[in-house]
Amino acid sequence: MAKSQYEYVRQFEQNDSLLPATWLVVRIDGQGFTKFTTRHGFTKPNDIRALHLMNRSAKEVMESMTEIVISYGQSDEYSFVFSKDAKAYDRRASKLITLLVSRFTSAYVYYWSEFFPDTKLQFPPAFDSRVVQYPSDRIMRDYLCWRQVDCHINNMYNTCFWTLVNKGGMSNKDAEKRLSGTLSSDKNELLFGEFGINYNDEKEIFKKGSVLVRENTLVDVTTPEGKCAKRTKSTVVILHCDIIRDQFWNDRPELTRDRPTKSERKAERAKQREIELAAEAEAEEEAAAKRSRQCKAGETDNKAEDDA
């Protein structure tokens, strides 16, 4: 920035850098989405198109902000968890929340027609955002558990509510009154006993929300020498699974692992290279076997022609 007599105004800027060695969770939430979903004709209680659009937008964010280790979304909200040692934008709160929510919102608009090809966007969607710091792995996990439990509670209520309205012919007010004070067991009984709906058969994306993590996958590439080879690529995958129990975290220790040392990264690259070479050898064996079968088939056809 060029120096001038007016540069003194920078003294009024506040330092909003977040604490080091803490998990940073940025949560975005739809603003005025009751009106937005009504104007755009969303299916109640869940519109699968809208949920896939939220997931696509979240994936766009994760692909552009590589220090996000896991994301969780449900309804019109998404939580993005940055690693404890993340250094993005010097951990400045204002930078993180504004850049993330603007990226998410622009992606939501950009991909809208892909998921709603027959529905014109009536007015721009808006999302708010905030960032919270969590000092330990346990508290960060408890935060995600809280959001998934919230997903289950809200989805069960909304499933019952809209079933009473759409299939039971009740008004919104009467449906609210009917569900007031009910427990999960009561709601399950209502759905199955009166409407023959088994809540356990609902889609996992509705009951558990969406989890985005990074996984290594093998992809086909062409080397500068023109040979086919295998390389490891980290890709963002979308899951609909339980993140409350330990099994999810035990299967993915890298989510809470500290930044690997130089020697650990070297060992990991060596391990991935072994996997790549093994995959290349297997692919070459399959190609050789295929060529052999084609040759034998050709010989058989030639012999048949000679006999004729």
Side-chain angles (χ1 to χ4, degrees):
M1 183 180 294
K3 290 184 177 297
S4 74
Q5 62 177 318
Y6 306 109
E7 191 177 3
Y8 76 93
V9 298
R10 295 186 63 191
Q11 299 174 37
F12 295 92
E13 295 182 10
Q14 289 186 320
N15 179 10
D16 62 350
S17 294
L18 299 166
L19 294 172
T22 57
W23 295 99
L24 307 180
V25 179
V26 178
R27 184 166 83 246
I28 63 100
D29 200 356
Q31 270 286 310
F33 256 57
T34 300
K35 176 184 176 182
F36 184 86
T37 57
T38 301
R39 284 282 298 276
H40 292 90
F42 280 25
T43 302
K44 304 293 186 178
N46 295 293
D47 194 310
I48 194 67
R49 302 167 301 171
L51 294 176
H52 287 328
L53 174 57
M54 289 287 290
N55 290 342
R56 184 64 187 89
S57 303
K59 186 177 180 181
E60 181 76 21
V61 171
M62 276 195 72
E63 289 173 343
S64 65
M65 306 180 84
T66 57
E67 289 182 304
I68 298 173
V69 295
I70 182 173
S71 303
Y72 175 77
Q74 53 130 333
S75 186
D76 63 346
E77 73 166 57
Y78 240 100
S79 298
F80 299 90
V81 182
F82 287 80
S83 64
K84 288 185 292 186
D85 49 17
K87 302 186 185 306
Y89 311 108
D90 295 325
R91 296 174 74 90
R92 290 177 58 189
S94 56
K95 285 278 191 178
L96 286 172
I97 60 176
T98 55
L99 286 167
L100 190 149
V101 75
S102 62
R103 171 79 67 170
F104 187 95
T105 307
S106 61
Y108 192 93
V109 173
Y110 184 82
Y111 292 111
W112 172 267
S113 60
E114 181 178 324
F115 296 92
F116 289 87
D118 301 320
T119 304
K120 183 180 179 180
L121 200 57
Q122 300 296 314
F123 59 90
F127 296 85
D128 63 37
S129 65
R130 74 216 72 178
V131 61
V132 183
Q133 304 165 89
Y134 294 109
S136 69
D137 298 356
R138 182 71 263 172
I139 298 177
M140 181 274 289
R141 283 183 54 180
D142 284 348
Y143 167 82
L144 293 173
C145 292
W146 170 49
R147 301 320 305 142
Q148 188 162 67
V149 168
D150 188 70
C151 173
H152 164 70
I153 293 173
N154 289 339
N155 186 65
M156 175 166 275
Y157 179 89
N158 289 333
T159 300
C160 290
F161 178 87
W162 288 106
T163 299
L164 289 171
V165 171
N166 295 333
K167 295 185 178 182
M170 284 189 175
S171 67
N172 289 9
K173 185 175 181 180
D174 288 341
E176 288 179 7
K177 186 176 180 180
R178 173 70 186 278
L179 294 173
S180 178
T182 57
L183 304 175
S184 292
S185 56
D186 301 322
K187 294 182 178 70
N188 272 309
E189 179 58 31
L190 183 154
L191 288 172
F192 190 74
E194 297 185 28
F195 299 98
I197 298 173
N198 186 339
Y199 183 75
N200 291 329
D201 293 337
E202 291 290 294
K203 293 180 182 295
E204 294 297 290
I205 188 175
F206 300 157
K207 295 186 296 181
K208 292 185 170 65
S210 300
V211 185
L212 273 63
V213 293
R214 304 180 195 277
E215 291 185 356
N216 287 333
T217 57
L218 290 174
V219 297
D220 294 321
V221 300
T222 302
T223 66
E225 295 78 22
K227 296 182 178 180
C228 293
K230 297 284 186 180
R231 292 294 182 268
T232 303
K233 181 181 180 181
S234 177
T235 58
V236 176
V237 297
I238 302 171
L239 310 172
H240 311 294
C241 60
D242 189 326
I243 57 174
I244 297 175
R245 293 187 176 89
D246 290 337
Q247 186 63 50
F248 173 85
W249 301 92
N250 292 339
D251 291 343
R252 299 168 179 82
E254 69 279 1
L255 293 178
T256 53
R257 187 172 58 199
D258 291 335
R259 185 186 294 272
T261 62
K262 185 176 181 180
S263 60
E264 288 173 336
R265 290 196 299 272
K266 184 177 180 180
E268 181 64 24
R269 285 196 296 269
K271 180 180 178 181
Q272 288 298 330
R273 187 56 187 145
E274 289 180 3
I275 295 174
E276 292 168 358
L277 291 172
E280 289 175 11
E282 182 178 351
E284 180 56 36
E285 287 180 6
E286 290 178 358
K290 183 178 180 180
R291 290 194 297 269
S292 177
R293 289 194 298 270
Q294 291 174 340
C295 288
K296 289 180 179 179
E299 292 174 357
T300 301
D301 291 341
N302 292 335
K303 186 176 185 300
E305 290 177 2
D306 293 342
D307 292 342

